[in-house]
């Protein structure tokens, strides 16, 4: 028999986890975000794309692009639409994770909305880490420029030669010599590290070979311009190098940073990971629901506007059921993500890990299927440059690795379920 711990085995109508209403104080903010995206971000995105057409150097921004982006960012700041992601914090809006979930879903519908309102990954996770565990000096040098939207950042964990789905395998070494950490190793799929605005990486490194398992790793701040940091080149995702930000392959050869660049302390890398990964993973899921909404919208519009074999496509070949299932899946995903966000608010990030893993295992997989069906109803046109669907698919599909593979999340949930019996 299950003991129904943590509300996992049954729904208690009095349980706080089942109250998924947005707070009244945050509702006007959500409406403001929707209006701002419609009136400012979407038109700016069209201009952004136009300016980028034909730009030869893929690893720089086209003339005018950063200027119009900055104009939109300045407007967002002026209107108070800035740094939503930090829950219950003086440096952000002080939103709960649940309130932010509703907003992040809207941000996910627009390619540039998160960046315009300074809520983009990996900056969000990096800022949260610095805000929670950074020293005053680290905050002044790196957190404040990130909070102000003046620079970008990267998070470097994944390595080419070991299975970093188990982060305890991270082998990039950091050795303390004369007041400096000397770092050697390789990282790849370091998202955003190709962006010319990226100035700092938070890097997972191995600082001890002989300590207790789980206490051998640390996280260290490594500026991009440090001698010995070599950007080898971009890793492609389904053939796309995602310039100018990119997912970079980085080689580190005798990279020296001050001893004070360590975060929280030696051997505490996994404490920081738990602090970071709960919110970061659920933020991705929130935005992914917005992407699934975009795909469904395209599916319905295409289905109603095209005719084949004497019928609208929406009523042909089971497409009506696919549209129905897409809406049902989106609503189920939404409830799961909202409950994971509420669990973080009520239980804390560590205890909410099961809910976060459930959302992370389910949402990208279901969203991928919806986007794939939206592509299918468009015919070959759906694979072309004339819809956002291929980019949406690649973006969501890569999330099934970016925050840990599906199998790891299912392992977390499955082990928890076994432990209840």
């Amino acid at each position: 028999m299950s003991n129904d711990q943590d509300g996992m085995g049954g729904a208690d109508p009095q349980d706080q986890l089942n109250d998924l209403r947005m707070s009244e104080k945050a509702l006007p903010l959500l409406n403001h975000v929707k209006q701002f995206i419609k009136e400012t971000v979407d038109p700016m995105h069209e201009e952004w794309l136009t300016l980028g057409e034909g730009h030869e150097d893929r690893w720089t921004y086209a003339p005018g692009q950063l200027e119009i982006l900055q104009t939109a960012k300045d407007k967002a700041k002026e209107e108070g639409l800035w740094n939503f992601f930090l829950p219950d914090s003086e440096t952000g809006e002080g939103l709960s994770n649940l309130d932010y979930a509703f907003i992040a879903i809207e941000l996910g519908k627009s390619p540039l909305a998160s960046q315009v309102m300074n809520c983009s990954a990996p900056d969000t996770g990096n800022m949260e880490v610095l805000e929670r565990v950074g020293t005053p000096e680290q905050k002044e040098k790196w957190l404040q420029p990130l909070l102000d939207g003046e620079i970008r950042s990267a998070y470097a964990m994944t390595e080419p030669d070991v299975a970093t789905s188990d982060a305890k395998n991270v082998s990039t070494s950091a050795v303390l010599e004369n007041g400096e950490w000397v770092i050697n190793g390789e990282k790849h799929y370091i998202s955003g590290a190709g962006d010319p605005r990226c100035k700092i990486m938070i890097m997972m490194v191995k600082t001890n070979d002989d300590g207790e398992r789980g206490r051998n790793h640390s996280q260290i701040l490594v500026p991009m311009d440090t001698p010995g940091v070599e950007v080898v080149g971009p890793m492609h995702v389904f053939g796309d190098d995602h310039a100018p930000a990119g997912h970079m392959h980085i080689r580190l050869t005798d990279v020296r940073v001050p001893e004070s660049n360590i975060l929280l302390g030696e051997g505490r890398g996994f404490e920081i990971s738990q602090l970071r990964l709960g919110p970061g993973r659920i933020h991705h899921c929130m935005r992914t629901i917005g992407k699934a909404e975009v795909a469904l919208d395209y599916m319905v519009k295409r289905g109603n506007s095209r005719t084949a074999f004497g019928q609208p496509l929406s009523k042909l070949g089971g497409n009506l059921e696919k549209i129905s299932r897409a809406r049902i899946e989106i609503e189920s995903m939404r409830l799961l993500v909202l409950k994971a966000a509420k669990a973080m608010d009520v239980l804390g990030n560590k205890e909410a890990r099961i809910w976060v893993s459930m959302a992370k295992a389910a949402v990208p997989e279901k969203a991928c299927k919806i986007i794939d069906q939206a592509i299918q109803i468009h015919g070959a046109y759906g694979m072309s440059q004339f819809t956002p669907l291929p980019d949406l698919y690649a973006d969501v599909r890569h999330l099934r690795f970016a925050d840990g593979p599906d199998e790891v999340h299912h392992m977390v949930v499955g082990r928890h379920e076994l432990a209840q019996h």
Side-chain angles (χ1 to χ4, degrees), residues 93-110:
E93 283 288 335
L95 298 175
S96 67
N97 285 292
L98 179 63
D99 284 343
Y100 180 62
F102 287 95
I103 291 172
I105 289 168
E106 296 303 316
L107 297 180
K109 297 177 183 179
S110 170

Side-chain angles (χ1 to χ4, degrees), residues 25 84-97 99 128 131-132 344-345:
K25 71 174 184 178
F84 301 125
F85 60 92
L86 283 169
D88 302 320
S89 168
E90 293 180 1
T91 53
E93 283 288 335
L95 298 175
S96 67
N97 285 292
D99 284 343
E128 184 154 14
E131 199 268 344
R132 300 288 189 255
M344 290 165 62
D345 292 331

Side-chain angles (χ1 to χ4, degrees), residues 177-361:
E177 292 182 1
N178 301 319
E180 293 182 315
W181 292 105
V182 183
I183 304 172
N184 286 278
E186 286 194 43
K187 301 286 184 179
H188 71 171
Y189 283 111
I190 310 308
S191 298
D195 194 314
R197 298 169 297 165
C198 180
K199 303 301 181 185
I200 187 69
M201 293 182 285
I202 295 179
M203 184 171 294
M204 178 75 93
V205 294
K206 192 170 189 178
T207 49
N208 190 344
D209 286 322
D210 304 318
E212 176 188 349
R213 184 167 167 81
R215 300 284 295 181
N216 290 330
H217 291 81
S218 306
Q219 297 198 25
I220 293 178
L221 292 161
V222 181
M224 287 295 298
D225 62 359
T226 308
V229 174
E230 177 192 358
V231 178
V232 178
M235 305 295 295
H236 289 209
V237 178
F238 292 107
D240 191 342
D241 61 7
H242 286 169
H247 309 279
M248 310 310 284
H249 178 189
I250 295 175
R251 186 174 294 125
L252 304 120
T253 306
D254 293 332
V255 173
R256 291 178 175 269
V257 299
E259 182 178 359
S260 59
N261 278 28
I262 198 164
L263 288 165
L264 196 57
E266 185 175 351
R268 303 183 72 177
F270 286 101
E271 289 181 60
I272 297 172
S273 290
Q274 290 309 310
L275 170 73
R276 172 198 176 87
L277 290 178
R281 284 170 172 166
I282 205 67
H283 292 171
H284 275 316
C285 289
M286 295 166 185
R287 291 188 291 266
T288 297
I289 292 170
K291 293 177 172 65
E293 288 276 17
V294 171
L296 177 55
D297 187 56
Y298 268 83
M299 193 190 309
V300 171
K301 288 178 179 176
R302 182 71 169 188
N304 284 339
S305 65
R306 304 282 278 202
T307 301
F309 305 102
Q311 294 187 74
L313 288 181
S314 59
K315 297 182 180 179
L316 188 68
N319 286 333
L320 191 62
E321 182 177 339
K322 290 175 184 175
I323 290 168
S324 167
R325 288 186 179 277
R327 171 50 64 198
I328 293 167
E329 294 284 21
I330 287 172
E331 296 311 318
S332 66
M333 287 189 286
R334 193 190 316 274
L335 289 171
L336 181 56
V337 167
L338 292 177
K339 193 157 187 177
K342 187 60 179 282
M344 290 165 62
D345 292 331
V346 173
L347 304 175
N349 293 353
K350 183 177 180 180
E351 294 302 320
R353 186 185 181 202
I354 306 305
W355 290 102
V356 172
S357 287
M358 283 195 287
K360 187 61 189 68

